[in-house]
Structure formats: structure tokens, C-alpha cells
Amino acid sequence: MKNMFRNIVDCISRKKAMFIVFIILALVMLVIGVVSAINFNTGVLPIDLGNITFIKFLRGSSGFFSLIFNTIIASVIIYALMVICCCKNFLVPIAIIFYLYFIYCMGVVWTSVMLIYGFFATIILLILLLAFYACEIFILTLLLCELVTLPKTNYFRCCFNNQTSSAVILSTILLVLIVTFCLILACLKSYIILLIY
């Protein structure tokens, strides 16, 4: 556990400037996502949250294992795209675009839940989502900083080597975070009042 936290602290200290830039970009995308969600919901094309994994779970239209599987798959897709695109310098901007788009979607989903179902009706869910998204953004930002600065020669070997990269540790933390989120959501399901009928 100490080694895990030491690796995270070392990763931030070694790439402080890049980390700050990515966090600022993430905050900007969150704001854009919030504004977009407000515009969508007040416009002629409202957002439909019916296909969002955790909404389907809370509605009772999917089970717990489906919640875990689909939530992991959503993160694995963006994770895989980031890892693959960072293997070449000219593909790094594409990895950053995927990272920013994923964060934009978080802002849209969070705001849409609040606008569609009401703040007070979903306050427990909103707080849980906010904590989960904040942690996920933090981990993905660290991961992106790590991937961008890895040598492109023998990239994949370096990427999955604990001696040269923190990517494996960050990936494990991300997986644990997702499972923890799903477990907490399942435990709080009875207390989350959602007007989803």
C-alpha cells in the first residue's frame, strides 16, 4: 500500500506541469459538459439516460454483475484507446482527445441526472457520482501523464513493467475504484430516490 501511494506521489512530482495542464483541461471539459447538458435538456433534443449503466441498474432493468461488467467495459475502452494511441508521438493528441471526451461525457451525464430527476431526489446518487468521477479523472490523468512520457521504443514492454512505469498500479487502482463504486451503489440502491418510471 505504501509503495502504491509512493508511486502516485512520485508520478505527480515528476510530471507536475503536465499533470496540472491535464487537470485544467479536464475542468474545462467538465464545464463544457455541464453547459451542453443544460442546453440539451432545455432544447428540442433532450438527453435520454435510459441506456446509462447505473440508471438501468437503479431502474431494476439490469443486475449487479451487469452493472460491474458494463461499467468496467466503458472504462476499459477509454483506457485501451489511451494506451494504444500513446505508443506513437503523433498519436498522443488523439489519446488526449479521447481522455477529454470521456470527461466531457461525465459532465453531461452528471448534470443530466440532476436536471431530469431533480437535485433533491438524486442527491445521494449525485454525491456518489461526483466522488467516483473525481477519483476516475485523477487516475486517468495520472495514467495519461505516465503513458505520454514513456519511451516509444519498446513502449508496450515499458508500459506493463512495474520497474519502468506506474501504469499497471494505476490500472489496478482504477479497477478497484470501479468495483467499489458498484458495490456502494448496490448498497445504497434502496436509499436512492429516483423518479425513473
Side-chain angles (χ1 to χ4, degrees):
M1 186 66 72
K2 288 182 179 179
N3 289 335
M4 185 180 295
F5 287 114
R6 189 180 299 117
N7 283 336
I8 292 174
V9 172
D10 288 345
C11 183
I12 294 174
S13 61
R14 284 186 282 108
K15 307 170 180 73
K16 187 181 296 183
M18 184 183 297
F19 180 78
I20 292 171
V21 169
F22 284 146
I23 286 293
I24 292 172
L25 289 174
L27 292 174
V28 170
M29 291 308 296
L30 283 173
V31 171
I32 294 173
V34 169
V35 173
S36 298
I38 293 171
N39 290 334
F40 290 149
N41 280 287
T42 57
V44 294
L45 294 172
I47 294 176
D48 179 20
L49 295 177
N51 292 322
I52 302 297
T53 301
F54 63 86
I55 296 293
K56 290 173 69 176
F57 172 73
L58 293 171
R59 279 179 170 174
S61 57
S62 69
F64 176 69
F65 290 106
S66 177
L67 170 69
I68 291 181
F69 178 77
N70 290 327
T71 306
I72 289 175
I73 287 297
S75 295
V76 164
I77 290 172
I78 189 66
Y79 170 86
L81 289 170
M82 285 170 53
V83 169
I84 292 169
C85 289
C86 285
C87 69
K88 299 292 183 182
N89 287 322
F90 67 90
L91 292 176
V92 167
I94 298 176
I96 296 172
I97 289 171
F98 283 126
Y99 158 81
L100 294 176
Y101 178 73
F102 190 62
I103 293 172
Y104 165 81
C105 292
M106 290 179 182
V108 170
V109 169
W110 191 89
T111 308
S112 297
V113 169
M114 181 178 64
L115 293 175
I116 293 172
Y117 302 118
F119 177 76
F120 293 106
T122 57
I123 187 167
I124 297 175
L125 177 61
L126 291 173
I127 292 171
L128 179 60
L129 279 177
L130 189 63
F132 173 63
Y133 286 162
C135 292
E136 191 168 22
I137 289 170
F138 178 74
I139 294 168
L140 286 175
T141 304
L142 284 175
L143 181 63
L144 186 60
C145 290
E146 188 73 22
L147 295 174
V148 167
T149 55
L150 283 176
K152 305 313 174 189
T153 306
N154 295 324
Y155 167 80
F156 289 104
R157 183 180 298 175
C158 294
C159 184
F160 299 105
N161 185 341
N162 286 328
Q163 303 299 321
T164 56
S165 170
S166 300
V168 174
I169 293 173
L170 293 172
S171 306
T172 305
I173 295 173
L174 181 61
L175 181 62
V176 171
L177 174 67
I178 293 169
V179 173
T180 303
F181 165 74
C182 294
L183 288 171
I184 294 174
L185 188 63
C187 293
L188 295 178
K189 183 177 180 180
S190 301
Y191 302 97
I192 296 175
I193 304 171
L194 279 180
L195 306 177
I196 314 174
Y197 299 104

